Amino acid sequence: MPAPSLDSLVSLCKRRGFIFPGSEIYGGLANTWDYGPLGAELKNRVKRLWWETFIHKRADMVGLDSSILMNQKVWEASGHVTNFADPLVECRNCHGRFRGDKLLEPRIGVEAAAILKLDQVQKMLLAEKIACPNCGAKDWTEAKKFNMMFKTHQGVLEDEAALVYLRPETAQGIFVNFKNIVDTMRMRLPFGVGQIGKAFRNEITPGNFTFRTREFEQMEIEYFFDPERTEWKKLFEEWKKMSWSFMTEMIGIDAKNLRLRDHEKDELSHYSRGTTDIEYQFPFGWGELAAAVAYRTDFDLSQHEKVSGQDMNYTDPDDPGRKFIPHVMEPSYGTDRIVLAALLDAYTEEKLENSETRVVMKLKPEIAPVDVAILPLSKKENLINKAQELYKKVVQETDLVVDFDVTGSIGKRYRRQDEIGTPKCITVDFGTIGEDEKQGAKDTVTIRDRDSLKQERVQLGELSDKLRRIC
Ligand code: GAP
């Protein structure tokens, strides 16, 4: 297991500026979270890695940034108005409202709970004697479909015509721009369009820190292909592997805390012919980290053609008489869940030789919020001046994120940097300024490695080059 409990991570995140409770000065707003300075940096790095891996480094992929608010017909066409619903049950005693399938999961398992029909949920809750988490009563109403889309109105009139939804997935922005992208970007099948952005779902039971929230961020790709030229099962397997290696090799999550899970037939979303999730072993059990891939067929483009009346066909450039609606593979990742899993996975408590315990976030250096910390050994003016000079030099000469820390003893500062996962600390000591040879030669500094705790003495003139190589 990575972090011993979610609470220890929540507390570290608050203490060290990764994630704060939302609207805290007003007593909070349930299940909303704000990314602090370090959390924002970490999340941006995750998004940048995703963009570099899937958009910049591939000739068959382009990016998009579409609107959150879209014509309400988009969601009629996509099936979300009718189908994007969870089974809502109410406790007859305290009137608490819950997601019936989630109440059943611990008893009957995720797979079995996911495939229950609406009219089976109440029966199963009663048969399994599931108690209300609020009051303990075991008296449940029948399950109702609860649509998870947030509604609002655009403009000054609050009538049906002005109704808009906050998008529950970023994917539809890609489908509605399919034609624009084909017409402007000279893309030939197979090709993919990726985008990163906020999505909103009025979840019945949010919780477990940032795992299930009502506002979250997605990184989604729609990968369009010709079903006559590309075998979908082969492509499906390829995307599973790419998603797996993104989580393990790019984000650095330990493969032993991950597993792939195929959706049962009855569990599939209304648009999918096959879905495989990547699950992470969270402290509260295995949970969906991302949809490694879903095969959405030509469902969405066909629906948009039907409802909008616009031609969504692709013309085969090798056979211009052949027009067809492409099929699509969709790897869909939740950025917040990846950040959460990366933090949990990195959380390590270690016994040191002096029998102290240190908490160290062994984040992959590529996603650590700070690359390097510069620490003057003491607050003596000439040491601080030298360290500040060095800070400016490293910031100017490299692209690294550099922290400058003078508060507290050097031991405390090392602990602080360990807790935020800074891979390298540079200590400026009396050796550096030529006042104590025992600490080191003049114009040299110590680089300390976060994980091995090994220290290395480096010439100031070589420092930026060295840091560029090792960070
Ligand atoms: N376009 C397909 C789609 O949206 P999904 O499985 O519903 O598929 C994809 O969502 C990913 O979005 C999930 O694997 C998860 O990482 C993230 N996600 C979904 N609902 C979420 C929520 N309420 N809070 C945080 N992340 C969520």
Side-chain angles (χ1 to χ4, degrees):
M1 270 309 272
S5 72
L6 202 55
D7 287 347
S8 39
L9 184 75
V10 175
S11 131
L12 181 139
C13 282
K14 168 94 187 358
R15 190 169 75 242
R16 292 295 179 213
F18 281 96
I19 302 173
F20 306 128
S23 313
E24 203 182 6
I25 60 165
Y26 289 101
L29 173 67
N31 298 294
T32 61
W33 300 96
D34 295 338
Y35 287 81
L38 298 186
E41 204 68 56
L42 167 55
K43 198 177 185 195
N44 279 340
R45 286 189 164 199
V46 168
K47 290 190 275 186
R48 200 168 69 209
L49 267 181
W50 181 91
W51 196 269
E52 275 168 11
T53 308
F54 293 117
I55 312 288
H56 283 171
K57 297 214 164 147
R58 294 183 57 142
D60 60 346
M61 232 50 123
V62 286
L64 181 75
D65 184 2
S66 69
S67 305
I68 288 173
L69 302 179
M70 301 167 89
N71 190 307
Q72 54 174 278
K73 290 211 173 71
V74 169
W75 306 108
E76 283 164 29
S78 69
H80 283 79
V81 171
T82 323
N83 297 314
F84 198 58
D86 278 337
L88 174 75
V89 290
E90 189 174 318
C91 167
R92 286 207 174 97
N93 184 47
C94 72
H95 303 292
R97 292 175 165 201
F98 303 92
R99 238 180 97 170
D101 56 337
K102 292 284 156 200
L103 289 176
L104 283 159
E105 271 180 9
R107 190 69 58 84
I108 66 172
V110 178
E111 285 91 346
I115 61 174
L116 283 174
K117 302 259 180 316
L118 201 62
D119 60 359
Q120 295 173 321
V121 175
Q122 182 203 32
K123 288 190 192 91
M124 192 60 102
L125 285 167
L126 298 175
E128 293 291 333
K129 298 192 172 49
I130 303 292
C132 168
N134 275 355
C135 69
K138 294 172 185 156
D139 192 4
W140 297 104
T141 60
E142 282 212 20
K144 283 193 297 205
K145 264 187 170 186
F146 175 77
N147 193 293
M148 285 193 285
M149 282 197 292
F150 275 99
K151 287 180 191 160
T152 186
H153 293 91
Q154 176 161 278
V156 289
L157 292 177
E158 293 202 350
D159 59 9
E160 266 305 293
L163 177 73
V164 283
Y165 299 100
L166 301 191
R167 67 180 177 198
E169 59 170 8
T170 63
Q172 294 306 322
I174 300 178
F175 293 122
V176 302
N177 279 293
F178 172 73
K179 272 289 191 191
N180 283 335
I181 290 167
V182 171
D183 292 345
T184 55
M185 300 304 294
R186 307 175 314 282
M187 304 304 284
R188 288 180 69 141
L189 293 180
F191 73 85
V193 183
Q195 81 165 325
I196 299 177
K198 290 269 186 176
F200 302 83
R201 296 183 187 175
N202 200 2
E203 297 279 0
I204 301 169
T205 35
N208 285 328
F209 198 21
T210 55
F211 179 78
R212 193 178 303 283
T213 49
R214 295 187 170 116
E215 172 187 346
F216 55 95
E217 209 157 3
Q218 290 188 315
M219 305 187 287
E220 299 203 289
I221 292 165
E222 304 306 323
Y223 195 78
F224 300 97
F225 64 98
D226 176 348
E228 284 184 19
R229 302 229 167 115
T230 305
E231 223 250 290
W232 78 263
K233 284 194 172 141
K234 192 164 163 270
L235 195 57
F236 193 85
E237 290 307 312
E238 281 170 17
W239 273 109
K240 262 200 233 176
K241 284 199 191 107
M242 285 187 270
S243 293
W244 184 268
S245 67
F246 181 77
M247 300 304 171
T248 52
E249 288 160 33
M250 295 290 158
I251 304 298
I253 298 174
D254 191 336
K256 74 175 190 301
N257 295 322
L258 292 171
R259 69 178 185 193
L260 290 168
R261 189 179 73 79
D262 297 331
H263 280 210
E264 299 287 328
K265 208 160 176 271
D266 291 352
E267 180 191 355
L268 291 171
S269 307
H270 61 275
Y271 50 71
S272 173
R273 193 183 290 176
T275 298
T276 299
D277 285 343
I278 298 193
E279 295 188 335
Y280 179 76
Q281 194 178 13
F282 289 97
F284 45 86
W286 288 97
E288 178 184 339
L289 178 62
V293 58
Y295 176 28
R296 287 181 87 128
T297 67
D298 58 355
F299 175 84
D300 299 87
L301 288 181
S302 298
Q303 281 297 109
H304 287 305
E305 178 168 277
K306 226 185 278 168
V307 177
S308 71
Q310 300 289 317
D311 179 6
M312 288 290 166
N313 278 293
Y314 171 86
T315 306
D316 185 343
D318 301 323
D319 177 5
R322 188 171 163 251
K323 292 182 191 299
F324 61 95
I325 293 193
H327 281 219
V328 77
M329 285 296 162
E330 180 196 65
S332 168
Y333 308 167
T335 320
D336 308 83
R337 285 193 191 172
I338 294 179
V339 168
L340 178 60
L343 285 166
L344 285 163
D345 223 58
Y347 187 103
T348 314
E349 284 180 8
E350 269 179 9
K351 272 257 174 295
L352 297 176
E353 275 170 16
N354 60 6
S355 77
E356 262 181 42
T357 303
R358 75 163 180 155
V359 171
V360 50
M361 295 297 273
K362 294 194 171 175
L363 290 164
K364 195 148 193 276
E366 286 80 352
I367 59 167
V370 174
D371 295 299
V372 180
I374 296 186
L375 317 173
L377 188 64
S378 86
K379 279 191 174 157
K380 261 195 95 185
E381 200 184 340
N382 48 354
L383 263 191
I384 293 203
N385 290 345
K386 187 74 189 172
Q388 270 169 345
E389 201 182 290
L390 191 60
Y391 170 82
K392 284 191 197 131
K393 186 173 148 69
V394 175
V395 167
Q396 262 168 16
E397 292 178 354
T398 70
D399 293 330
L400 301 171
V401 175
V402 188
D403 190 12
F404 184 81
D405 191 358
V406 285
T407 328
S409 72
I410 189 73
K412 275 208 177 117
R413 281 179 279 156
Y414 281 147
R415 293 294 158 271
R416 185 154 59 226
Q417 295 299 333
D418 287 344
E419 280 201 0
I420 66 169
T422 307
K424 305 284 174 197
C425 284
I426 295 164
T427 317
V428 177
D429 55 27
F430 292 99
T432 317
I433 55 171
E435 286 188 10
D436 185 352
E437 255 182 47
K438 274 191 254 130
Q439 291 188 350
K442 188 165 185 286
D443 290 332
T444 63
V445 284
T446 300
I447 302 184
R448 169 193 182 265
D449 181 74
R450 176 195 72 193
D451 298 341
S452 67
L453 296 177
K454 282 204 180 108
Q455 305 209 355
E456 186 188 352
R457 205 74 190 172
V458 178
Q459 290 285 341
L460 283 184
E462 292 164 10
L463 186 65
S464 294
D465 265 354
K466 172 103 187 163
L467 289 175
R468 258 189 247 113
R469 276 199 311 278
I470 60 175
C471 286

